[in-house]
Amino acid sequence: MEFGLSEEQLLLQDTIMQFLAEEFPLEKVRKISSGKYSDAMVWEGLTKLGIPGLLIPETQGGVGLGYLEAAIISECLGYNVTPTPFLTSSVMAVTVLKAAGNQELLLSQIAIGDQRVGIAFNEALGARADAGLTVANGVINGKSIFALDGNADHYLVADATFNLYLVSTQVLKRTKLATVDRTQSTCELVYKDSEAILISNDEKIFKEAINAGRVMQAADTLGAAQSMLEQSVAYSMQREQFNRVIASFQAVKHMCADMVANLEPCRAMVWYSGHALDALPDEKHLVACHTKAHLQEVGQLVSKQSTEIHGGMGFTDLLGLHYWFKRIGANRQLLGSPEMLREEAAKIQGFIA
Amino acid sequence: MDLSFGLEYENFRGQVRHFVEENREKQPKFRGPAKEENITWQRILIDNGYAARTIPKKYGGYGAKPDIIKSRIISEEFSRLQMNTGLTGQGIKMLVPILLQMGTEEQRLKFIRPTIQGELNWCQGYSEPGAGSDLASLNTRAELDGEDWVINGQKIWTSSAHIADWIFCLVRTEAEAPKHQGISFLLFKMDSPGIEIRPLIDMTMKPNFNEVFFTNVRVPKQQIVGQRGEGWSVANALLGFERGSLAPSAAALSRLNELIKLMHEETVNGDPLISKPQFRERLMKIQGRTMAMSYNDMRLISAQINNNQDTKLASMIVKLQSTELRHELEGLAIDVMGEIGLSFDDNPYLRGEGGWQYQYMYFLGLIIGGGTNQIQRNIISERGLGMPKEPKSKEK
């Protein structure tokens, strides 16, 4: 029995953490977020480390690792609030393309970072009044909102009955949508007789992809919250008031203790759910729903308390703590809010007729 | 990640499961010390290696090699059917481990066998009216007079003092030493002259704990564990032991399953309560948290077996998180039952033998006991996160 990360997994974690800390510190994240730089430069760097093809088999040009490793990467990305298409292109799209079969060319292009595939699942996940799409005779019409990745070359689009279509960016009209979290881009896609290639008509494949995405977001939140906790402790140890560091006040210490007390079990939960995607088919969907829901609750607590501990500075753009706050906030809303996920968890267990 | 324990352990699980299913009817319904049926049951458990498992045979235990996985499997299988796991009590849970670690051979031979077999019941004399969270400031004095310690002072929150045969007790023996270095750990009989016990009824309306007064109580001087002035380190080893065992996640999972069953069976206006979205949402929240704690437990066990990861923080937070979680879990059961949830004592509408209300209050007690959860937060932030201690006020 071994519940933890292997030496190889720890090495992977160290490598990515070090790369991101050195190459893409907050100053660069700011420039990417403001549109000065493109997130393509991050993706190029990570391509040298094999990250885009992490889940793609070696025979198709990838690295052939599993979801637990992908969760480790997501945690690193969250910790460094790094803008990348890892969640969408490397995890969700790859999950779909692998399961559907016959997509070797696109998979090999994803693996070398040459093509990236965005995700537009909202129609199946919870359609909002402003959107709506129809597919007939190989063409798609209508609109997707809050599609993930504003810089993708293709989009995997779900309709209301969980069919998945591949639509090239060249045949649709894309408008980027501003959100509070500038490290994860979203866009509106307008289709007008746009060519749509049916990739899957199997609801199971949709579920695989969405739940893999949820686990990755949970891992991303784990990393972001861990960073906020560490920043809080570090700041409180140097900030002095009433002639002592504020870290010596119980009011501050107890907030930090509550953050870590809630966050530490989340680490085991993320590991378990990554492993479940790889090896525990009977429980993986339930675990994925609960993991994302729970992590977002804990993430919300940590992001609020951490900001409070930083006092006025926590509220400024100068310090930039808000990048983590907003990253965690966005993860909460995307791919199912905690309440919806808990309802889904109840359904999976047959608690709802 | 490898969650399987392997064939040897799965076979062992099969044995335990078989035992649990075979003996389900034989177990006594209520736990508690000294009752004949509990003592008989304890014997059965020890003979089969399900209680006092790793305590050497010469002290009356089963004598198995320590094996965390086997202990875990036993705990899981017993929890699954909410099986009586035998006698608990502070003698078994706390004193026996410390005697094994720090007692003399004579003390081990004399005390361990009757304690684990339920013939000798203990109570713990730690807290005092003026020494709760700040335990080291305790004031009960012991002075050497010839061959005896002479004890004067008062203890409080002393669980089971009214039914205990002996007490393990912290007393101040070195009046001049700094507060942590002036304490000794003594063992003595509860029927010694000069001991007065006054029961304290707790909020569950049971006399679970007491005040104990000592007036010139004489204790033979060799009845000390560790050396004079070493009592604080003895006590700390014990407190560490207590915190880990207060609210295990296997028990939380088993209570969660009971709660799910209750919400299916219990109805309002003919609808099962599980169909009410408000309650279901709370249930699902608690399920998520319970899962997180049980994975945390798996990680801790793995770290103990393989000794290859730092789980200091993951283990420090267990008492705080798991006692709060259990309190909320039991509280949800009461809420879903509405007015029926108020039932107590001999009320004919009582559900689950009154366990929900009892545990709801009992776990509030555990949030306070064993080092309050506020003290836990101090420990986590100071020893876990490296934050500084609050500046001390001047010692009295």
Side-chain angles (χ1 to χ4, degrees), chain A residues 186-333:
Chain A
T186 67
C187 54
E188 176 196 82
L189 305 175
V190 177
Y191 317 106
K192 200 173 174 196
D193 291 332
S194 311
E195 187 193 5
I197 303 159
L198 179 68
I199 299 290
S200 159
N201 57 6
D202 185 350
E203 187 181 341
K204 266 194 236 152
I205 292 180
F206 172 84
K207 283 212 168 127
E208 294 281 322
I210 196 95
N211 283 316
R214 286 165 174 168
V215 171
M216 297 310 134
Q217 281 186 319
D220 192 280
T221 292
L222 171 67
Q226 179 65 31
S227 170
M228 289 192 92
L229 168 67
E230 289 170 14
Q231 292 183 63
S232 304
V233 173
Y235 181 81
S236 70
M237 301 273 270
Q238 50 134 51
R239 167 76 177 163
E240 288 185 18
Q241 287 288 276
F242 306 101
N243 300 318
R244 38 198 268 221
V245 292
I246 63 168
S248 67
F249 289 101
Q250 280 191 329
V252 173
K253 285 158 73 172
H254 286 198
M255 282 168 99
C256 290
D258 277 333
M259 285 194 266
V260 72
N262 280 287
L263 194 57
E264 202 52 35
C266 289
R267 188 174 316 283
M269 194 178 206
V270 165
W271 290 350
Y272 188 90
S273 58
H275 175 70
L277 292 172
D278 288 323
L280 306 171
D282 294 343
E283 45 181 309
K284 65 181 178 184
H285 292 319
L286 177 65
V287 172
C289 289
H290 266 313
T291 301
K292 181 172 186 260
H294 183 63
L295 262 291
Q296 298 325 148
E297 301 293 9
V298 173
Q300 191 170 60
L301 172 101
V302 171
S303 61
K304 173 173 179 282
Q305 295 206 340
S306 171
T307 306
E308 282 185 60
I309 285 174
H310 285 80
M313 285 306 291
F315 197 63
T316 63
D317 179 46
L318 186 68
L319 189 70
L321 190 71
H322 65 89
Y323 279 89
W324 283 266
F325 181 94
K326 291 168 181 173
R327 177 88 162 206
I328 292 170
N331 287 345
R332 185 180 174 95
Q333 306 304 117

Side-chain angles (χ1 to χ4, degrees), chain A residues 80-133:
Chain A
N80 293 286
V81 289
T82 316
T84 74
F86 182 72
L87 166 75
T88 46
S89 199
S90 302
V91 176
M92 296 180 72
V94 166
T95 299
V96 170
L97 297 171
K98 264 170 44 177
N102 291 325
Q103 294 297 330
E104 283 75 13
L105 177 63
L106 185 52
L107 279 170
S108 65
Q109 289 169 329
I110 292 172
I112 55 168
D114 194 35
Q115 297 281 301
R116 53 201 258 190
V117 180
I119 295 291
F121 278 9
N122 296 21
E123 195 68 9
L125 197 60
R128 300 282 163 177
D130 295 322
L133 53 86

Side-chain angles (χ1 to χ4, degrees), chain A residues 250 253-254 290 342 349, chain B residues 2 281 287 309 378 382:
Chain A
Q250 280 191 329
K253 285 158 73 172
H254 286 198
H290 266 313
R342 285 191 285 266
Q349 295 173 90
Chain B
D2 173 11
E281 159 75 359
Q287 185 176 46
Q309 51 175 316
N378 283 353
E382 289 164 16

